[in-house]
Amino acid sequence: MPTLTDKDQKTLLKLARSVITSELIKSSDTERPAEISSVLAEKRGCFVTLHKKGVLRGCIGTIEPVKPLISCVEDNALNAAFRDPRFPPLKANELPDIDIEVSVLTVPRILEHKDGKELKAKLNPGVHGVILSKGWHSSTFLPQVWEQLPDTQIFLEHLCQKGGMEKTCWMDKDTVVKVYEAEYFSE
C-alpha cells in the first residue's frame, strides 16, 4: 500500500475536524479538498480516534477497504464524534480540547498458527493490529493499543473480552485471527 504524503495527512486531518465542526456549528462548512490525490481516492480501511486532553473520547472505523479513503475518514470522523456507543455525542464546547488521529489500514490477512504459543510468537507488537473472530463475536485493536497493553497475552485477553468472548478465546482453534498494519498520524 502506498504511504500518504504530508499533504495527504494534513488534508485528512483538516477534513475530519471540519466535518465534526460543521455538524456542531451549523454556520461552519465542511472543508473538502479541491483536488484529491490518487492515494486518497483509493479504497482503504480507516479509523478516526478522538482524544480529549489525552483521554479516549471516541474511536470508530472501517476495517475493510470498501470506500475511498477520503470518504472513509469523513464518515468515521462523524461516527467517532457522535455515534461511538461508549460515549455521549460530542458537544461544541469540547472541540477545543479534542485532538484527532487518523489510522489508515492495510487489508487484513489471516495469521496462520497451530496454537496459542505460535500465535504469540508470530504477532508483532506495535506493528500488527489484531482482529479476533469467533462465531458472531469479533473485536479489533489498532496497533497503537500495544502502547497501553505491551504484554502479548494481556493484549489478547483484553481483545477477547472486548468482543464479548472468554478471555482465553485467542487460544481456541475456532477463533480466526487476522492482522493488519496502520499508518497513523494526528494533529
Side-chain angles (χ1 to χ4, degrees):
M1 294 272 186
T3 57
L4 283 78
T5 64
D6 286 345
K7 182 179 178 184
D8 289 335
Q9 291 179 8
K10 288 177 184 165
T11 296
L12 292 174
L13 290 167
K14 183 176 181 179
L15 174 64
R17 178 156 301 271
S18 78
V19 75
I20 292 168
T21 302
S22 68
E23 184 70 19
L24 289 169
I25 303 167
K26 297 304 177 191
S27 61
S28 178
D29 292 329
T30 298
E31 298 177 44
R32 293 182 179 90
E35 292 182 27
I36 299 172
S37 72
S38 61
V39 174
L40 297 184
E42 283 181 14
K43 289 183 179 179
R44 303 279 297 268
C46 77
F47 275 72
V48 175
T49 304
L50 308 180
H51 292 99
K52 182 178 177 181
K53 297 183 178 180
V55 177
L56 182 66
R57 179 59 177 85
C59 181
I60 298 281
T62 308
I63 295 172
E64 298 293 335
V66 294
K67 62 175 65 173
L69 179 56
I70 194 134
S71 300
C72 188
V73 168
E74 184 169 341
D75 292 349
N76 286 319
L78 290 171
N79 290 335
F82 306 109
R83 295 179 195 97
D84 186 328
R86 300 169 292 179
F87 302 96
L90 194 69
K91 302 275 189 246
N93 66 348
E94 294 179 280
L95 266 176
D97 297 325
I98 295 295
D99 292 312
I100 299 172
E101 177 179 87
V102 174
S103 302
V104 180
L105 311 183
T106 61
V107 178
R109 62 178 174 80
I110 291 178
L111 186 63
E112 298 290 345
H113 61 283
K114 63 179 184 253
D115 57 26
K117 183 178 178 180
E118 185 179 15
L119 172 61
K120 287 180 12 178
K122 284 187 167 186
L123 285 175
N124 193 344
V127 174
H128 284 147
V130 181
I131 305 165
L132 297 180
S133 302
K134 183 178 179 188
W136 293 101
H137 297 277
S138 184
S139 58
T140 189
F141 278 154
L142 292 167
Q144 300 92 298
V145 175
W146 288 103
E147 295 169 17
Q148 292 136 29
L149 299 169
D151 178 272
T152 304
Q153 183 167 330
I154 292 170
F155 178 95
L156 291 168
E157 288 173 354
H158 277 79
L159 186 52
C160 288
Q161 291 174 317
K162 178 185 177 191
M165 300 172 272
E166 293 292 322
K167 76 177 192 176
T168 57
C169 80
W170 60 276
M171 292 188 278
D172 188 324
K173 63 177 179 53
D174 294 328
T175 300
V176 176
V177 180
K178 292 184 179 181
V179 294
Y180 56 87
E181 295 178 23
E183 180 179 354
Y184 54 96
F185 45 93
S186 57
E187 296 177 312

